[in-house]
Amino acid sequence: MDFESHGPYKPEDGHRFNAHKVLLDPYAKAIARTKQGGDEMFGYVIGDPRLDLSLDERDNAATAPLAAVIDPAFTWGDDRPPRTPSHKTVIYELHVKGFSQLHPDVPEHLRGSYAAIGSEAAIRHFKRLGITAVELLPVHHHLDERHLVERKLSNYWGYNTLGFFAPEMRFKVARPIRRRAARIQDDGSRSARRRS
């Protein structure tokens, strides 16, 4: 579900309603259209001398990110909370792509994806290091900043969040997160997983 906002456009008073803009559902669990929009995505006119006090009346419906309706059901099987005491917990924080893209033992077709985190090679690696909990660096859907796009670059770390509840699709699909999290837990480690 996506929205429009109606009301006064008075930025100086904190009101930035702009009915010309399609807004993304902030609770979206998946983003259906990930096309990076242009200046029409902003509620104000880029380059206007009044800066963000101006009003952009262009319709952004053709390029706005859209929420997707998904079936959030997932059977965790006999999944249970891990019983690792806090004083024995060893947390391994990782970037999905950074961890797996060049890992020589992760199958090539899984590298750079969520599925790589639960691969046999990754689990062996975690166990060899004594890891009891895995935390993934930002895996929520994000946009690349304008200055990066203009240079044909991307935001590697993903800290420019668009949807906090939608997984970043650059790392593949959401379901493997759940499957791999369950698999990591089955092997004795816990994962800081997102429930969506």
Side-chain angles (χ1 to χ4, degrees), residues 8-17 52-53:
Y9 189 82
K10 295 181 179 177
E12 59 280 356
D13 294 332
H15 300 289
R16 294 183 182 271
F17 297 96
D52 66 346
L53 298 179

Side-chain angles (χ1 to χ4, degrees), residues 133-136 181 185 190-194:
V134 175
E135 293 182 0
L136 304 180
Q185 286 196 183
R190 63 179 156 167
S191 57
R193 64 180 183 244
R194 44 189 314 287

Side-chain angles (χ1 to χ4, degrees), residues 58-190:
R58 291 177 291 176
D59 186 351
N60 72 339
T63 58
L66 301 176
V69 176
I70 63 166
D71 177 2
F74 184 81
T75 303
W76 286 92
D78 63 351
D79 184 44
R80 65 219 167 279
R83 301 284 186 233
T84 309
S86 295
H87 69 282
K88 291 187 177 182
T89 297
V90 178
I91 300 171
Y92 190 99
E93 185 177 79
L94 63 83
H95 184 282
V96 172
K97 184 174 181 181
F99 170 80
S100 65
Q101 187 66 36
L102 299 176
H103 195 296
D105 298 327
V106 171
E108 197 167 331
H109 70 282
L110 297 180
R111 292 180 186 171
S113 74
Y114 294 120
I117 305 306
S119 68
E120 296 292 336
I123 291 171
R124 271 195 316 273
H125 178 74
F126 300 145
K127 284 186 166 189
R128 186 172 61 248
L129 294 175
I131 304 302
T132 62
V134 175
E135 293 182 0
L136 304 180
L137 287 170
V139 292
H140 39 71
H141 190 87
H142 72 276
L143 291 178
D144 295 324
E145 293 85 343
R146 174 194 292 271
H147 69 279
L148 294 175
V149 173
E150 289 170 353
R151 293 180 179 110
K152 299 191 181 338
L153 298 171
S154 63
N155 182 325
Y156 178 79
W157 291 102
Y159 285 107
N160 190 18
T161 303
L162 177 66
F164 283 102
F165 301 104
E168 177 54 59
M169 297 310 290
R170 295 175 207 193
F171 303 138
K172 304 293 183 225
V173 295
R175 293 229 182 260
I177 288 179
R178 295 173 180 155
R179 279 192 214 106
R180 299 303 170 169
R183 183 162 178 210
I184 290 169
Q185 286 196 183
D186 287 345
D187 285 334
S189 295
R190 63 179 156 167

